[in-house]
């Protein structure tokens, strides 16, 4: 029964998925650390059908990905509670996307500059009056926090999405 219920929530519209990933601000990067799961929340950019994120070199996240590059990135937005006279039918309006792929370290300065510029456009639109220069990005990548910044790309091999739309007349106020 539950399999049928949740199958109807499946989102197959790639434009809807794409728009959601462009707008969402935080995702959770799931990795495999030996036999244990390891998940970290982070900012990201979805561009040209690929997932991008960055962070300072070193640390557990980068060690885990260097040992096993398989990742699952999950983004979920909750839009409120859908009420029902029957308590068991009270539900949540949401959309979620899961991206499966391998995290790949980006060494190409052009691609790293593009990704970091897209990150600025997403998180601080209009704040900077000129685009990032490759020289700035190269220095930034090698100097922040006394260790290089690493830029990663995930080219998805599988994406799943589900949604339960807002039912305006039933939303809990």
């Amino acid at each position: 029964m539950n399999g049928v219920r949740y199958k109807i929530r499946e989102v197959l519209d790639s434009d809807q998925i794409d728009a959601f990933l462009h707008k969402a601000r935080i995702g959770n990067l799931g990795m495999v650390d030996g036999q244990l799961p390891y998940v970290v929340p982070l900012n990201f950019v979805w561009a040209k059908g690929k997932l991008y994120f960055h962070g300072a070199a070193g640390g557990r996240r980068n060690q885990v990905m260097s040992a096993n590059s398989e990742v699952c990135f999950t983004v979920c937005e909750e839009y409120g509670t859908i009420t029902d006279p029957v308590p068991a039918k009270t539900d949540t309006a949401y959309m979620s996307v899961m991206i499966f792929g391998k995290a790949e370290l980006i060494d190409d300065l052009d691609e790293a500059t593009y990704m970091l510029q897209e990150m600025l456009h997403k998180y601080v639109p209009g704040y900077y009056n000129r685009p990032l220069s490759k020289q700035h990005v190269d220095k930034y990548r090698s100097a922040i926090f006394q260790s290089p910044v690493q830029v990663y790309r995930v080219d998805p091999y599988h994406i799943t999405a589900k949604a339960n739309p807002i039912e305006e007349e039933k939303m809990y106020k």
Side-chain angles (χ1 to χ4, degrees), residues 4-171:
V4 173
R5 179 178 176 204
Y6 291 107
K7 187 77 174 163
I8 64 170
R9 292 188 179 179
E10 187 175 32
V11 176
L12 300 173
D13 180 344
S14 60
D15 290 337
Q16 183 182 358
I17 294 168
D18 196 56
F20 175 76
L21 290 171
H22 277 289
K23 180 181 61 106
R25 297 179 58 84
I26 302 290
N28 292 286
L29 179 68
M31 299 160 279
V32 180
D33 186 3
Q35 297 296 313
L36 298 173
Y38 182 60
V39 180
V40 293
L42 47 81
N43 295 335
F44 69 97
V45 169
W46 177 254
K48 300 179 181 177
K50 295 175 181 18
L51 174 73
Y52 293 92
F53 57 90
H54 75 295
R60 185 174 175 190
R61 179 187 72 184
N62 294 354
Q63 291 171 352
V64 170
M65 287 189 302
S66 67
N68 183 347
S69 63
E70 289 288 335
V71 298
C72 174
F73 191 78
T74 302
V75 181
C76 184
E77 296 284 328
E78 187 260 341
Y79 305 126
T81 303
I82 303 169
T83 61
D84 192 280
V86 178
K89 292 185 179 181
T90 297
D91 209 343
T92 301
Y94 70 93
M95 182 159 178
S96 65
V97 174
M98 295 176 70
I99 299 168
F100 299 87
K102 290 183 184 253
E104 184 178 344
L105 185 60
I106 298 172
D107 290 323
D108 179 69
L109 185 56
D110 289 326
E111 188 173 4
T113 302
Y114 167 76
M115 189 289 297
L116 291 170
Q117 184 66 63
E118 289 299 304
M119 183 84 57
L120 291 174
H121 285 318
K122 179 176 182 177
Y123 292 96
V124 288
Y127 183 77
Y128 297 101
N129 59 6
R130 61 182 168 189
L132 283 173
S133 69
K134 285 196 282 189
Q135 293 80 8
H136 177 80
V137 170
D138 196 35
K139 182 178 178 185
Y140 172 73
R141 290 194 323 155
S142 61
I144 193 164
F145 303 127
Q146 308 307 315
S147 66
V149 168
Q150 295 183 314
V151 179
Y152 287 90
R153 176 186 60 241
V154 176
D155 194 351
Y157 57 71
H158 185 60
I159 298 176
T160 63
K162 290 188 177 176
N164 192 21
I166 293 171
E167 296 179 46
E168 208 55 63
E169 70 285 352
K170 292 184 174 183
M171 297 307 290

